[in-house]
Amino acid sequence: MRHIFKEGQLDGPTLLLLHGTGGNEHDLLPIAEMIDPSANVLSVRGNILENGMPRFFKRLKEGIFDLDDLVKQTKNLAEFIDEASEKYQFDRNQVIAIGYSNGANIAGSLLFHYKNVLKGAILHHPMVPIRDVELPDQKQTAVFIGAGKNDPMCPAKESVELEELLANNGADVTVHWERNGHQLTQTEVQAARDWYQKQF
Ligand code: MLT
């Protein structure tokens, strides 16, 4: 996958950055800098192009995902993280995802399909990636969800559903609410940073 790797403390955390639809691997670099300037950064560009806009899996229309492709791309991403940890020599057990929108959805999908795939995840404006699957045990995983009470793309009740699904499978989930639609605001990133500093 097209990506940027920025080396920090190799034996410390690695931030896996996953952009929103139409973004790229450069978008979330300033956020990683705010969250943990000493971390390694693995920032990935989504493999799918939708009318020229990169994203991480196909969708049939807005909010309706191509679930076969979601499962396939989730596996690709999990394998890519494994390969990157060998290539760049970072600690595979300390990968913390930071995803926004479509990037948060594929990060959520990693947690819905694989155990021990992420140590933690900051999900900005995620949806429930897939329903009717049995989630793996996520007892070791800490998750921050940044959600909007008035987010037209990711309805508030879906954020609550995601929180419940993850928490019911053992994840330690914190939800932070905003009222700025689907936007990723400075206050939300600051809340994520405060959460990260307490957790890791
Ligand atoms: C998705 O397709 O993952 C969601 O609709 C959010 C987005 O458009 O990025």
Side-chain angles (χ1 to χ4, degrees):
M1 296 181 83
R2 191 153 162 185
H3 66 279
I4 295 171
F5 180 73
K6 208 176 120 239
E7 187 176 316
Q9 250 176 280
L10 280 178
D11 59 352
T14 295
L15 303 178
L16 170 70
L17 307 185
L18 303 162
H19 62 78
T21 302
N24 63 41
E25 66 277 24
H26 297 279
D27 290 5
L28 300 181
L29 293 174
I31 290 180
E33 189 63 31
M34 275 185 66
I35 302 271
D36 184 353
S38 65
N40 307 297
V41 174
L42 180 64
S43 189
V44 186
R45 183 183 297 197
N47 272 339
I48 302 300
L49 275 183
E50 182 187 272
N51 302 320
M53 297 186 297
R55 45 182 282 126
F56 288 94
F57 54 88
K58 292 181 191 162
R59 60 180 166 183
L60 307 176
K61 57 180 181 177
E62 198 174 286
I64 311 283
F65 302 154
D66 176 334
L67 296 178
D68 290 340
D69 193 59
L70 174 71
V71 170
K72 181 174 145 200
Q73 301 299 337
T74 302
K75 181 167 182 280
N76 278 347
L77 180 58
E79 288 170 358
F80 174 76
I81 304 167
D82 292 345
E83 287 160 18
S85 74
E86 288 187 12
K87 179 171 176 193
Y88 297 117
Q89 297 288 301
F90 61 80
D91 182 353
R92 178 66 191 85
N93 297 321
Q94 293 193 63
V95 176
I96 298 154
I98 303 179
Y100 169 59
S101 193
N102 181 245
N105 292 339
I106 191 114
S109 182
L110 283 173
L111 298 175
F112 272 46
H113 290 99
Y114 299 104
K115 193 177 168 183
N116 297 330
V117 67
L118 298 172
K119 182 177 185 193
I122 295 176
L123 307 177
H124 293 294
H125 301 263
M127 298 166 70
V128 175
I130 187 167
R131 289 186 171 79
D132 304 323
V133 294
E134 200 176 316
L135 269 71
D137 176 359
Q138 290 297 353
K139 267 197 205 78
Q140 309 302 325
T141 316
V143 181
F144 173 95
I145 297 177
K149 288 268 182 215
N150 58 347
D151 185 336
M153 191 108 75
C154 312
K157 68 171 175 27
E158 189 150 334
S159 310
V160 172
E161 188 186 346
L162 179 63
E163 175 192 12
E164 285 170 2
L165 286 167
L166 290 168
N168 288 344
N169 288 281
D172 172 7
V173 189
T174 299
V175 183
H176 168 83
W177 291 101
E178 296 264 329
R179 269 197 182 274
N180 293 294
H182 194 59
Q183 274 183 69
L184 176 50
T185 59
Q186 187 86 1
T187 49
E188 186 172 318
V189 176
Q190 277 160 358
R193 184 192 55 199
D194 293 348
W195 170 87
Y196 179 97
Q197 284 173 354
K198 273 188 219 132
Q199 290 288 337
F200 305 111

